[in-house]
């Protein structure tokens, strides 16, 4: 993960010291700053983009790096870590499918493609609607109960598409 240690705690600590909200944008560490000043400048630019994004989102008094900003972080980071975004967003689902030989990812894709309708999803998957409901409950346990909230659902859908696209390109 490209997450600076303590980036989420730092705003509270600094805010307490200065008695005002402090917003912090972060970037991945630069391994050898003295040897690579251009990397330091790029890291500063990325941290500034993260800070600007936090401000635009009205998330004052918070700290985040690109990896903490979901799909926006994908656009902000210099490295465009698509695999990291997919892993952060769908990781528990992908691991579950691999361990158990299930296809919750496919169920989720069918669900979104069916307009988030369990009744239409059952027709696409040729299963009973109760099976769809059980699978979606398992998805909620793995991704969190907020996976259907608009912002999170957008990230999940984007991650699903990027996952399928990167798998197709890797063939």
């Amino acid at each position: 993960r490209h997450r600076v240690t303590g980036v989420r705690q730092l705003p509270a600590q600094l805010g307490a010291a200065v008695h005002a909200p402090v917003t912090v944008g972060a970037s991945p560490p630069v391994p050898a700053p003295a040897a690579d000043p251009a990397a330091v400048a790029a890291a500063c630019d990325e941290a500034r983009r993260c800070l600007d994004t936090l401000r635009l989102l009205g998330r004052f008094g918070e700290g985040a790096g690109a990896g903490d900003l979901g799909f926006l972080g994908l656009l902000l980071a210099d490295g465009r870590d698509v695999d990291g975004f997919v892993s952060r967003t769908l990781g528990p689902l992908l691991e579950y499918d691999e361990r158990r030989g299930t296809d919750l990812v496919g169920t989720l894709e069918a669900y979104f493609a069916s307009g988030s309708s369990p009744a239409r999803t059952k027709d696409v998957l040729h299963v009973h609607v109760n099976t769809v409901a059980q699978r979606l409950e398992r998805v909620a346990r793995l991704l969190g109960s907020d996976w259907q909230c608009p912002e999170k659902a957008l990230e999940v859908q984007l991650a699903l598409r990027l996952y399928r696209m990167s798998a197709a390109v890797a063939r």
Side-chain angles (χ1 to χ4, degrees), residues 141-157:
R141 284 196 302 273
L142 293 166
L143 297 184
S145 60
D146 65 340
W147 74 272
Q148 292 185 65
C149 294
E151 185 176 313
K152 183 82 180 243
L154 175 62
E155 293 201 358
V156 170
Q157 290 178 65

Side-chain angles (χ1 to χ4, degrees), residues 107 111 118 121-122 127-141 147:
T107 297
Y111 175 75
T121 303
K122 76 158 176 81
V127 298
H128 194 275
V129 72
N130 289 346
T131 302
V132 172
Q134 290 169 353
R135 291 178 184 178
L136 295 177
E137 286 174 17
R138 192 164 296 125
V139 166
R141 284 196 302 273
W147 74 272

Side-chain angles (χ1 to χ4, degrees), residues 47-128:
R48 189 175 343 94
R49 288 190 302 269
C50 290
L51 175 62
D52 292 344
T53 300
L54 286 169
R55 288 179 178 159
L56 285 170
L57 294 172
R59 292 174 51 183
F60 300 99
E62 294 184 33
D68 301 309
L69 294 170
F71 76 92
L72 291 174
L74 194 61
L75 302 173
L76 297 170
D78 285 330
R80 304 288 193 264
D81 184 15
V82 172
D83 291 338
F85 171 73
V86 169
S87 178
R88 284 187 302 276
T89 307
L90 300 177
L93 220 56
L94 296 168
E95 291 166 11
Y96 186 92
D97 279 351
E98 188 169 321
R99 242 185 3 259
R100 303 276 179 111
T102 57
D103 190 18
L104 293 178
V105 168
T107 297
L108 206 49
E109 287 173 320
Y111 175 75
F112 285 126
S114 299
S116 302
S117 165
R120 288 194 296 268
T121 303
K122 76 158 176 81
D123 293 337
V124 170
L125 297 176
H126 307 290
V127 298
H128 194 275

